[in-house]
Amino acid sequence: MRWSHLSARPDDASLLDAAPVASPLPLALPGAVVRTFDTPGFSGMTFYEIRAKSMINRVPGASRVPFQYTINPYRGCSHACSYCLGGDTPILMADGSTRPLSQLQVGDAVLGTTGAGPHRRYETTTVLDHWSTSKPAYRVTLADGTRLVASGDHRFLTDRGWRHVSPAEPHLPALAVGDRMSGVGHFADPPKESPDYQAGYLCGLIRGDAGAPLTASPREGDAWIRADGYLEDVPMHEALRWPEMPTGGWYRGFLAGAFGATGVADRLAIVFTSRDQGFLSRVTEALTHLGLPSRRPPHPQLGGVGSVEVTRDLWAALRFRHLTGTIEAPLDASGVGVRSDPQLTVADIEELGLTLPLYDITTGTGDFIADGVVSHNCFARNTHTYLDLDAGHDFDSKVIVKVNAGELVRRELSSPRWTGSPVAMGTNVDVYQRAEGRYRLMPEILTALRDHANPFSILTKGTLILRDLELLKQAATVTDVGLAFSVGFLDEAMWRAVESGTPSPQRRLDAVRRLTDAGFAVTVLMAPILPGLTDTDESIEETVAAIAAAGASGVTALALHLRPGAREWYAAWLTREHPALAPRYRDLYRDGSYLPQTYQNEIGARVRLAARRHNLHRATPGEARQASPTTPAHSDTEQLTLL
């Protein structure tokens, strides 16, 4: 096994309280030690201890956050928040399906592009070579929240041509914030074959077959074989029933089954035909639910036979296949023009400070489509911690620990090139998550910052910060120290549902009081405010009142932000726990990861009014992240990039 050499020696004293070494990551991380622990608080979790190459990371100049440097000793988070997850990065195959880059093989047919400038077109091409390499990694974030991890010499196709993420040679064209990439946009996640999906599939297949045009040939094959398997778990009478409140899984299965019965695919076209107008109405309803535009063209010459057509473009053709799991629909995208979209604009470029294993392929066209954008060479999956991990459960259960964080911070602060700029912590994942209780990385980091009188700020949900109160007080005598807590609501049932791994809201407010009593001006972010759940007047009033009673110096509201990956996992939780809210969320987040500005402004205004009633200063989002809370800060109430 390629990870066997990464396990710590049996005589390593640090292993005395550790359980047997855990299973390896899907991708090898050179120099890592893999541990699990027997304590209940870390049940089901795996820690990958690495020695990072750098710790103080510079924030891209175009970022909206009011700080330039960050320190992140952890990747991944044990807080288990339902809204704090990443995305995944598949490669587009020639038939419209997707496959992880690490699983591609020489000879596979993928989709690439040919041509130049505005005349570039998609073409089927072949994987000629496939290998892995270890290089310093960068993360590129797009406007829709897609995150792409690549080496600095990796190239993406943009509106300014091919651009290197961070070229080593100054004469090479570099990717920049504001560049617009080319492609079809983020791929949809495939469906899970849940009971709802299976019931929907059977309903679509059987009802679709019953209403098929009389001239149509009887269908046999994979769709009916698949249905036979589903009928072992779903009774026929349940399968034929229209559900009163169909779930997203049911709609996905219904469309897959309907296509198996009456669907036709021709290049980019997806067409359903039937004599049953009610059935076609259900098809339209399901397509609309999944965000796929369609139309009902008239067919007067067909004598009662109608049809539904999905909009004929590559984005819709791919999204239909990926959302429904319809693998039998042929796709021919050759010759289709390559387009761009504002959602593919580069929003952030971050040097990760890690040398990571990255995959590389060579294709006949010299490029391929990675998570919806035209890409070339050395691309790694953009999942949690860029190590081929699942975007949901793995983020909660597999944590990267930079065990040499303290010594690196001290060394970098001692560099003659370091100018003493403020650094922000807790801006990516929480530095005081539960893992910090075992690894104790923060005391050494805080000691180094204190010894160099370097200003810093901390944003956290973790009451473990109180362990380091004495160090914080010492640092505050020689430099500016900014502290902020995140408390979005007080409802304990909601807390257990969406932030199960964090201290309770009341414990966080108790920590605010203790820090305030110690002389710190602690600001509170009411984040995240959940539409339809914690955005009521009662919830806002109760939360602001408690924040004021805790002695906070200021408060600001930040509404829920759902990037791809987080969007799907949160949606699954919402549909399961609060299905009546699903339509509202689809409407609110239909344009991307952020809520409409009008909603954000309304929430901000309501929190400001409550703060005035309780004589509480309204902090800005930037103020809560600055080393000195008295420094003017960004005043927008929109959730910031690195929160």
Side-chain angles (χ1 to χ4, degrees):
M1 184 178 292
R2 59 182 179 175
W3 268 66
S4 59
H5 69 287
L6 301 181
S7 302
R9 297 188 305 275
D11 59 349
D12 187 341
S14 66
L15 277 180
L16 293 179
D17 61 351
V21 172
S23 301
L25 284 167
L27 300 182
L29 184 60
V33 174
V34 188
R35 302 188 197 276
T36 60
F37 300 101
D38 289 331
T39 52
F42 296 110
S43 176
M45 296 189 66
T46 305
F47 296 89
Y48 300 88
E49 300 173 5
I50 66 167
R51 295 187 63 82
K53 297 182 68 175
S54 66
M55 274 303 300
I56 302 179
N57 300 314
R58 186 179 181 88
V59 177
S63 177
R64 295 180 295 152
V65 294
F67 49 83
Q68 291 182 292
Y69 296 93
T70 64
I71 293 176
N72 294 293
Y74 300 96
R75 295 287 185 180
C77 187
S78 54
H79 281 340
C81 301
S82 299
Y83 42 78
C84 194
L85 307 168
D88 195 12
T89 305
I91 305 304
L92 184 59
M93 310 302 288
D95 63 0
S97 64
T98 64
R99 189 181 304 170
L101 178 58
S102 59
Q103 297 179 19
L104 289 179
Q105 298 180 358
V106 172
D108 284 339
V110 298
L111 208 61
T113 72
T114 58
H119 305 295
R120 205 164 193 90
R121 298 187 176 279
Y122 293 103
E123 292 294 339
T124 297
T125 187
T126 303
V127 176
L128 304 177
D129 203 357
H130 179 266
W131 69 96
S132 64
T133 182
S134 293
K135 294 184 179 182
Y138 294 76
R139 177 166 53 209
V140 179
T141 303
L142 306 186
D144 67 354
T146 300
R147 294 184 297 174
L148 308 163
V149 176
S151 66
D153 59 1
H154 180 75
R155 287 172 285 168
F156 291 104
L157 182 62
T158 75
D159 52 354
R160 297 193 297 148
W162 291 103
R163 296 278 152 173
H164 297 260
V165 172
S166 181
E169 301 296 330
H171 66 278
L172 295 175
L175 190 68
V177 171
D179 284 343
R180 183 181 294 187
M181 292 190 183
S182 300
V184 293
H186 181 69
F187 298 141
D189 290 335
K192 299 183 184 300
E193 292 200 358
S194 63
D196 277 355
Y197 178 89
Q198 294 177 345
Y201 186 91
L202 291 169
C203 184
L205 184 69
I206 297 170
R207 286 184 176 271
D209 183 67
L214 297 176
T215 56
S217 301
R219 296 203 176 191
E220 302 289 345
D222 293 342
W224 291 98
I225 295 174
R226 191 174 174 185
D228 287 340
Y230 291 167
L231 282 170
E232 295 179 3
D233 301 316
V234 181
M236 179 66 78
H237 69 278
E238 289 188 16
L240 292 175
R241 186 174 58 209
W242 299 115
E244 292 184 7
M245 295 184 62
T247 65
W250 190 91
Y251 278 131
R252 291 187 184 208
F254 175 74
L255 287 174
F259 183 86
T262 71
V264 175
D266 181 16
R267 283 182 58 80
L268 303 183
I270 299 288
V271 182
F272 300 85
T273 57
S274 179
R275 292 176 288 111
D276 184 346
Q277 297 303 313
F279 173 79
L280 292 178
S281 294
R282 284 284 181 167
V283 170
T284 301
E285 176 186 332
L287 291 170
T288 301
H289 177 88
L290 298 181
L292 289 165
S294 62
R295 69 188 190 98
R296 297 275 297 268
H299 295 287
Q301 72 279 11
L302 296 183
V305 175
S307 68
V308 174
E309 296 182 3
V310 180
T311 299
R312 302 190 183 205
D313 64 55
L314 183 56
W315 174 86
L318 292 174
R319 190 166 180 82
F320 174 83
R321 287 162 173 81
H322 298 165
L323 285 173
T324 64
T326 305
I327 59 177
E328 65 270 21
L331 175 73
D332 179 10
S334 295
V336 175
V338 177
R339 296 183 296 181
S340 185
D341 186 274
Q343 293 298 311
L344 301 183
T345 301
V346 177
D348 203 2
I349 304 172
E350 176 188 4
E351 184 176 4
L352 298 176
L354 291 173
T355 296
L356 297 176
L358 306 172
Y359 281 94
D360 194 357
I361 64 174
T362 297
T363 69
T365 59
D367 61 5
F368 54 97
I369 315 303
D371 204 3
V373 297
V374 182
S375 183
H376 187 283
N377 291 332
C378 293
F379 182 81
R381 290 171 58 94
N382 70 330
T383 51
H384 152 53
T385 66
Y386 21 89
L387 293 174
D388 205 14
L389 297 177
D390 176 78
H393 177 69
D394 285 349
F395 182 83
D396 297 334
S397 62
K398 292 179 170 61
V399 178
I400 310 303
V401 184
K402 303 174 187 178
V403 293
N404 60 335
E407 65 183 78
L408 278 179
V409 170
R410 183 171 292 277
R411 186 180 73 191
E412 291 170 6
L413 291 175
S414 301
S415 171
R417 293 179 296 177
W418 180 249
T419 60
S421 298
V423 295
M425 291 176 282
T427 59
N428 190 353
V429 295
D430 201 328
V431 295
Y432 282 108
Q433 59 179 281
R434 284 178 294 165
E436 171 60 18
R438 179 168 294 272
Y439 284 99
R440 299 183 63 87
L441 301 182
M442 285 300 293
E444 194 172 354
I445 293 172
L446 294 176
T447 300
L449 290 165
R450 178 203 65 188
D451 292 348
H452 287 82
N454 201 100
F456 63 90
S457 66
I458 299 173
L459 170 62
T460 185
K461 294 178 182 177
T463 54
L464 187 60
I465 191 175
L466 296 175
R467 179 201 65 191
D468 297 335
L469 180 55
E470 188 58 35
L471 272 174
L472 293 169
K473 290 164 64 175
Q474 293 172 15
T477 64
V478 296
T479 189
D480 291 324
V481 176
L483 302 180
F485 259 85
S486 174
V487 183
F489 44 83
L490 297 186
D491 188 322
E492 292 231 351
M494 190 62 61
W495 159 64
R496 293 183 187 281
V498 299
E499 296 181 339
S500 59
T502 66
S504 71
Q506 188 55 57
R507 286 183 59 202
R508 281 178 255 169
L509 291 173
D510 291 343
V512 171
R513 168 53 66 188
R514 285 194 57 186
L515 291 168
T516 300
D517 290 345
F520 290 96
V522 184
T523 56
V524 172
L525 298 181
M526 276 185 64
I529 294 178
L530 310 177
L533 296 172
T534 64
D535 62 348
T536 64
D537 290 338
E538 293 77 12
S539 177
I540 290 174
E541 184 71 21
E542 179 186 33
T543 306
V544 171
I547 291 170
S553 63
V555 63
T556 192
L558 296 178
L560 177 64
H561 169 222
L562 291 175
R563 291 184 174 185
R567 188 188 193 98
E568 287 75 18
W569 279 70
Y570 183 84
W573 171 83
L574 185 77
T575 302
R576 183 176 67 252
E577 301 295 333
H578 303 279
L581 286 176
R584 181 182 178 189
Y585 271 74
R586 285 194 297 273
D587 182 60
L588 286 172
Y589 290 95
R590 66 179 183 274
D591 293 328
S593 302
Y594 291 96
L595 286 159
Q597 193 64 51
T598 52
Y599 178 91
Q600 296 185 51
N601 292 341
E602 177 195 344
I603 289 295
R606 290 163 62 195
V607 170
R608 285 196 299 274
L609 289 172
R612 289 172 187 163
R613 287 193 292 271
H614 294 279
N615 298 314
L616 184 62
H617 166 65
R618 175 185 173 264
T620 66
E623 188 173 327
R625 296 169 177 80
Q626 294 179 38
S628 172
T630 60
T631 305
H634 180 75
S635 61
D636 195 346
T637 57
E638 182 175 321
Q639 184 168 334
L640 299 181
T641 306
L642 294 182
L643 179 62

